[in-house]
Amino acid sequence: MKYKKSILTSAITSAITIALSGQAFGQTIQTLEKTVVKSQSIERDAVVEVLSSEELALRQVDNFEDLVKLVPGVSVSKGDDRWGASGFNIRGLDEDRVAINVDGVPQGETLKYESGQAYGYFKGSRNGVDIEALKSVEIVKGADAILSGNGSLAGAVNMTTKDPDDFLSYQGDDSGFAIKAGYSGENSETMTSLTAANRTGALESLIIYTYRDGNEFENYDMNGADIEGSAREIPDPQDTKLNSVLAKLIYEISPDNEIGFVGTYYKTKVITDTQSFNGGWYSNRVGNDISKTTRVGVFHKYEGETALFDKVTTALNKQSIDFAANTSQHARFGFGGGITTDEDRVDTRAFNQDLFQVTVDLEKSFKFAQQKHKLVYGAEILNKDYENSQVRKSNSILNDKGWVESSSQALIPKSEADIYTLYALDTFNLGKTTQARLGARYDHYTYNAKADENYSDESGTLGEISFSMATWTAGIEQALNDSFSIEMGVSTGFRAPTIEDMYTTSGTLDDWNEVPNADLKAEYSTNYDVALVGEFSKGSFRLGTFFSKYKDFIDSEKRQGINTNTGETDPDGFFVNFNSDTVEIKGIEFSADLNLSRTFDLTPGLKTRVQAAYTSGENSEDTPIYSIQPFNLTWGISYNQPEGNWGVHTYASYTAGKEDKDSFTIDENGEKTYPLYSSNAATIIDLTGYYNITESLRLVAGVYNVTDKEYYRWDSVRFVDQGDMRPGIGVTDNGIKRYSEAGRNLGVNVSYKF
């Protein structure tokens, strides 16, 4: 499904994108306008930013952290270096509370087992697509269930992959080829991407292959203490390899009728020498983690004026996400004065998610009561399968049994989810200066979890569970005059409880640590957005405020109770997920762009843009929401030569430090506890430039963190605790230094199109 905003918002976004991206290869402005318009096809009551592939290329974006670097109010959630990113943070909520879709297909769910993170064996992440395969990325700030689906409590990230015609002429037989090579000093990564596109008669084809080979992301001082244990001051050594393939075939049956095939393959292999974990009980610890995402799909598009639709798109997709975390190490410990364990171990934690999706999306324009309407509506059938296993191979020097394999209780049971969805959104005019929107969505979920050899149902909670969710949206845009308008919208979102939320269990039958709760309700959000928008010949701005209210928030708490397996009260208590009281988050967002050349009568091509976001929030006990990011402001100035041969872009990003009053939690005794480490205030300056050596050959280079500032991101340090039992997360002495961001670093890439 492709999306559009209002004409006014589209104009603003187009101007901003062109201002940042500039002219390149002689035809960049025309290409950008086409891309922006095509990537937005539906009105919505949320703040939307669209990043084109051209902008990502000029900024040398290689990963999702770079992707949102200049988008205030949005960041990437990550913990330690071994597991990397686990999703996006939008307006203070992260991971599964932000929907992620690629070509309309939802991406994987997280599985991180909170009570077991200290042991560092497993943390399932979500993203499975490479930047080079993307045509555009749509970032939605605010609840967006109608169009983005499950998980869009705080927003969504909707990605669209490239098509053959992005590399071909508008019509006629044609072929296009491209090669791109790059280097990133931040993690010593080399990248090569090859593209081939063809149109022969009615058949279009595309294949993009990308290979990346890199190391660990640097911290500020790579000359810090290179030691083992939690006091280690530099990141753990790491070797990363990525292979990505995007393939598409599109056959034009007639000018208004086409059928297509898409196939994607994305595989990463990350080997981490987790030296920060070594010490005490464990030594020689190495992580060997493999993540693979594959998708095959077919789609059909038809345009024709009928009573039910002007355009209909049908798609079938099958997606598989397989993640295996392999940890090898030597364990030596004992109790009662003697050594009871002295062995080599290989632990494998696997998490597999399979998805089958059928979607039908329709569009219809019509007149009713003298008003123009644009109706989009559709249905979705989704089937998901989940499976997890935990296997250990050990070879003890205390006996002569050799390598022995054993299995432990899986984190989740083997499960299936069946989901049925109906949605409709109508955009219509109320006179010449008013535009309104109304939409509704209905989702029905059925979960079925069963016991097997990997998961025993000792607590008797497994079985079939069904529930339904109804969401809606309403909005209005009122033009005040030719330059100013008011936008007001109410949007809703939801997140169905995941298999992990309902069924995660740990501990022994006699001493539970975490128990399942299959009675959880879906989380629900209501988001209110109000904004003043200005559009002028020399620039534009948007000043908005939002208020979001969340109910049935899923949280975890420690409880005392009777262990149903023993019939006795558990003396240590246990953790269980539950639906908590209301959470409220509010904030202010501002964006503006200005054509400096027109304003000050300067040489054409000079533009500037400013964006800022402030967010705050708390739960019903007035405890701040830990995941909310500090105030952030970005300012960019760009110059693009009118002839389109070269350009220079400067970006400055200021982020405030995280204060204790915004980051404390309440312990089980009712006392405030504050983070051991917080992020610091910092202004980071990046400088990039491009030069079109020939019409087909482009060089892009950048210097990042130009002033060599030492700084820490809140998303990188907010999980940090002390002690060697916290692998890659816990720190002692000056170990926090390994969580600092990279100092001054360089990046360069060369692309050739023919």
Side-chain angles (χ1 to χ4, degrees):
M1 183 185 297
K2 297 179 181 178
Y3 305 116
K4 260 187 195 169
K5 299 178 287 185
S6 66
I7 295 174
L8 175 61
T9 311
S10 294
I12 294 172
T13 306
S14 298
I16 289 171
T17 305
I18 295 169
L20 286 176
S21 301
Q23 297 179 346
F25 289 82
Q27 296 295 325
T28 299
I29 286 184
Q30 289 86 344
T31 302
L32 279 174
E33 288 177 341
K34 178 185 175 186
T35 299
V36 170
V37 171
K38 286 179 66 177
S39 66
Q40 309 157 23
S41 61
I42 298 177
E43 315 286 352
R44 59 225 306 180
D45 297 301
V47 180
V48 182
E49 298 202 33
V50 178
L51 306 176
S52 71
S53 59
E54 181 72 6
E55 179 179 347
L56 302 184
L58 292 178
R59 280 177 39 205
Q60 292 189 303
V61 171
D62 289 315
N63 52 63
F64 289 106
E65 289 93 332
D66 290 342
L67 176 75
V68 299
K69 198 177 197 179
L70 300 179
V71 185
V74 183
S75 63
V76 167
S77 299
K78 63 178 184 178
D80 55 78
D81 292 330
R82 176 177 175 182
W83 309 119
S86 60
F88 294 86
N89 185 314
I90 297 180
R91 288 183 172 177
L93 297 184
D94 58 3
E95 298 188 344
D96 290 314
R97 292 184 173 113
V98 173
I100 302 176
N101 300 295
V102 177
D103 293 335
V105 180
Q107 297 306 284
E109 298 173 3
T110 61
L111 177 62
K112 62 180 184 178
Y113 177 35
E114 287 286 3
S115 61
Q117 282 299 293
Y119 297 96
Y121 289 115
F122 184 87
K123 184 177 180 181
S125 59
R126 303 186 64 190
N127 303 328
V129 63
D130 186 75
I131 296 293
E132 292 299 318
L134 298 177
K135 173 163 57 178
S136 65
V137 180
E138 179 190 64
I139 299 175
V140 183
K141 298 180 182 179
D144 189 46
I146 305 299
L147 299 177
S148 298
N150 177 35
S152 57
L153 280 181
V157 178
N158 300 313
M159 309 180 207
T160 302
T161 57
K162 294 175 179 176
D163 290 313
D165 63 8
D166 295 324
F167 301 90
L168 303 172
S169 58
Y170 287 113
Q171 58 185 356
D173 292 352
D174 190 25
S175 294
F177 302 92
I179 180 171
K180 181 177 180 180
Y183 171 79
S184 172
E186 189 179 27
N187 60 339
S188 301
E189 180 185 87
T190 57
M191 180 274 292
T192 303
S193 185
L194 305 173
T195 300
N198 177 265
R199 182 190 297 117
T200 301
L203 180 65
E204 292 184 347
S205 59
L206 169 70
I207 185 166
I208 301 176
Y209 170 72
T210 304
Y211 175 74
R212 298 181 186 272
D213 188 348
N215 300 116
E216 68 277 6
F217 282 89
E218 293 185 357
N219 69 336
Y220 178 74
D221 182 12
M222 290 299 289
N223 295 315
D226 185 3
I227 59 177
E228 294 190 341
S230 58
R232 181 178 178 82
E233 296 180 10
I234 62 175
D236 292 329
Q238 192 173 72
D239 179 71
T240 66
K241 288 181 171 56
L242 179 150
N243 287 274
S244 168
V245 179
L246 167 67
K248 284 189 179 181
L249 290 172
I250 300 176
Y251 182 76
E252 187 181 85
I253 302 171
S254 69
D256 299 322
N257 192 4
E258 68 179 29
I259 188 169
F261 163 84
V262 58
T264 64
Y265 174 86
Y266 176 91
K267 181 180 179 180
T268 61
K269 183 174 183 179
V270 181
I271 298 177
T272 310
D273 184 3
T274 57
Q275 297 183 19
S276 60
F277 186 82
N278 293 335
W281 292 351
Y282 302 103
S283 60
N284 301 323
R285 183 182 177 97
V286 175
N288 185 348
D289 308 315
I290 300 173
S291 178
K292 183 173 69 173
T293 300
T294 58
R295 173 169 68 98
V296 293
V298 293
F299 56 88
H300 176 257
K301 298 179 181 179
Y302 175 75
E303 295 186 31
E305 293 188 9
T306 71
L308 293 178
F309 62 84
D310 299 327
K311 179 180 178 180
V312 58
T313 302
T314 305
L316 286 77
N317 285 283
K318 182 175 175 56
Q319 178 176 269
S320 240
I321 302 176
D322 302 311
F323 178 63
N326 303 286
T327 305
S328 62
Q329 64 189 334
H330 187 82
R332 188 175 189 272
F333 50 88
F335 302 95
I339 299 299
T340 59
T341 300
D342 193 353
E343 62 188 22
D344 291 321
R345 292 178 177 176
V346 178
D347 288 276
T348 299
R349 266 64 167 174
F351 183 37
N352 304 318
Q353 303 177 70
D354 293 330
L355 170 153
F356 179 74
Q357 178 198 52
V358 179
T359 58
V360 179
D361 300 299
L362 306 100
E363 297 182 19
K364 179 63 181 177
S365 296
F366 60 95
K367 270 191 175 183
F368 179 76
Q370 302 302 313
Q371 304 298 335
K372 292 182 179 180
H373 291 253
K374 181 178 181 180
L375 176 67
V376 293
Y377 63 105
E380 177 185 49
I381 299 174
L382 195 62
N383 175 267
K384 293 183 177 182
D385 291 296
Y386 309 87
E387 188 172 10
N388 168 245
S389 62
Q390 300 191 92
V391 178
R392 170 173 292 174
K393 295 180 180 179
S394 59
N395 184 9
S396 175
I397 66 174
L398 300 179
N399 55 55
D400 57 358
K401 294 182 179 180
W403 285 93
V404 177
E405 182 176 306
S406 60
S407 299
S408 56
Q409 175 93 344
L411 300 177
I412 59 171
K414 188 174 182 178
S415 309
E416 182 178 5
D418 290 307
I419 305 155
Y420 303 94
T421 300
L422 295 171
Y423 79 93
L425 178 64
D426 185 22
T427 303
F428 52 96
N429 296 323
L430 295 174
K432 295 182 179 180
T433 61
T434 307
Q435 181 175 266
R437 288 176 296 281
L438 290 173
R441 178 183 174 113
Y442 174 80
D443 291 85
H444 180 78
Y445 277 70
T446 300
Y447 284 118
N448 193 0
K450 297 179 180 179
D452 60 10
E453 65 275 10
N454 292 321
Y455 190 102
S456 60
D457 187 20
E458 301 296 339
S459 58
T461 57
L462 300 187
E464 186 174 289
I465 302 171
S466 296
F467 62 89
S468 300
M469 287 297 300
T471 47
W472 57 276
T473 187
I476 192 167
E477 294 178 10
Q478 176 64 54
L480 304 178
N481 53 39
D482 290 340
S483 299
F484 293 95
S485 64
I486 293 288
E487 296 180 354
M488 295 177 286
V490 182
S491 56
T492 54
F494 76 98
R495 183 180 79 97
T498 64
I499 296 297
E500 178 185 15
D501 291 332
M502 294 186 291
Y503 293 119
T504 294
T505 183
S506 65
T508 66
L509 297 182
D510 295 328
D511 186 14
W512 279 348
N513 178 263
E514 188 168 355
V515 300
N517 179 6
D519 296 325
L520 293 175
K521 301 176 183 177
E523 298 176 326
Y524 191 90
S525 65
T526 304
N527 182 85
Y528 305 87
D529 264 288
V530 178
L532 174 66
V533 178
E535 176 73 12
F536 313 94
S537 61
K538 298 176 182 178
S540 60
F541 76 89
R542 184 185 191 279
L543 176 61
T545 182
F546 70 89
F547 173 77
S548 299
K549 191 170 185 177
Y550 306 90
K551 68 177 183 178
D552 292 326
F553 219 61
I554 297 175
D555 206 344
S556 178
E557 68 178 0
K558 191 173 185 179
R559 295 179 179 176
Q560 301 291 332
I562 296 176
N563 186 325
T564 57
N565 295 308
T566 64
E568 299 177 356
T569 299
D570 192 328
D572 299 323
F574 54 85
F575 288 91
V576 64
N577 287 332
F578 72 106
N579 291 108
S580 65
D581 293 332
T582 299
V583 169
E584 295 181 351
I585 296 178
K586 54 187 176 293
I588 299 174
E589 296 169 339
F590 174 76
S591 64
D593 68 282
L594 180 66
N595 189 315
L596 297 174
S597 298
R598 292 180 182 175
T599 303
F600 300 104
D601 195 23
L602 301 173
T603 301
L606 189 61
K607 300 179 181 181
T608 187
R609 185 190 188 193
V610 177
Q611 287 190 107
Y614 170 78
T615 306
S616 67
E618 56 279 323
N619 61 21
S620 58
E621 298 177 349
D622 295 327
T623 303
I625 304 303
Y626 212 64
S627 55
I628 288 178
Q629 302 302 301
F631 169 76
N632 182 225
L633 179 147
T634 65
W635 174 42
I637 297 180
S638 64
Y639 174 74
N640 301 286
Q641 186 198 35
E643 289 76 15
N645 291 327
W646 62 276
V648 178
H649 307 148
T650 301
Y651 309 100
S653 178
Y654 169 78
T655 303
K658 191 70 172 180
E659 299 182 11
D660 282 351
K661 67 181 180 64
D662 296 323
S663 56
F664 65 84
T665 57
I666 305 294
D667 63 20
E668 56 190 70
N669 298 318
E671 300 292 330
K672 290 183 179 179
T673 60
Y674 296 93
L676 293 173
Y677 305 98
S678 290
S679 56
N680 60 314
T683 299
I684 307 303
I685 298 175
D686 297 333
L687 176 64
T688 64
Y690 68 88
Y691 178 62
N692 294 328
I693 302 171
T694 69
E695 186 176 342
S696 301
L697 181 63
R698 170 191 279 174
L699 171 68
V700 180
V703 182
Y704 304 93
N705 194 358
V706 172
T707 59
D708 200 28
K709 175 73 175 180
E710 181 177 4
Y711 68 107
Y712 298 78
R713 296 186 185 277
W714 176 238
D715 258 336
S716 297
V717 301
R718 63 187 173 107
F719 299 107
V720 173
D721 205 339
Q722 289 182 324
D724 278 333
M725 285 298 291
R726 302 282 294 181
I729 298 177
V731 303
T732 54
D733 299 333
N734 290 322
I736 189 62
K737 288 187 175 182
R738 67 177 180 269
Y739 289 96
S740 60
E741 300 299 315
R744 185 186 301 114
N745 63 94
L746 306 175
V748 63
N749 66 59
V750 178
S751 56
Y752 182 67
K753 298 180 179 180
F754 57 99

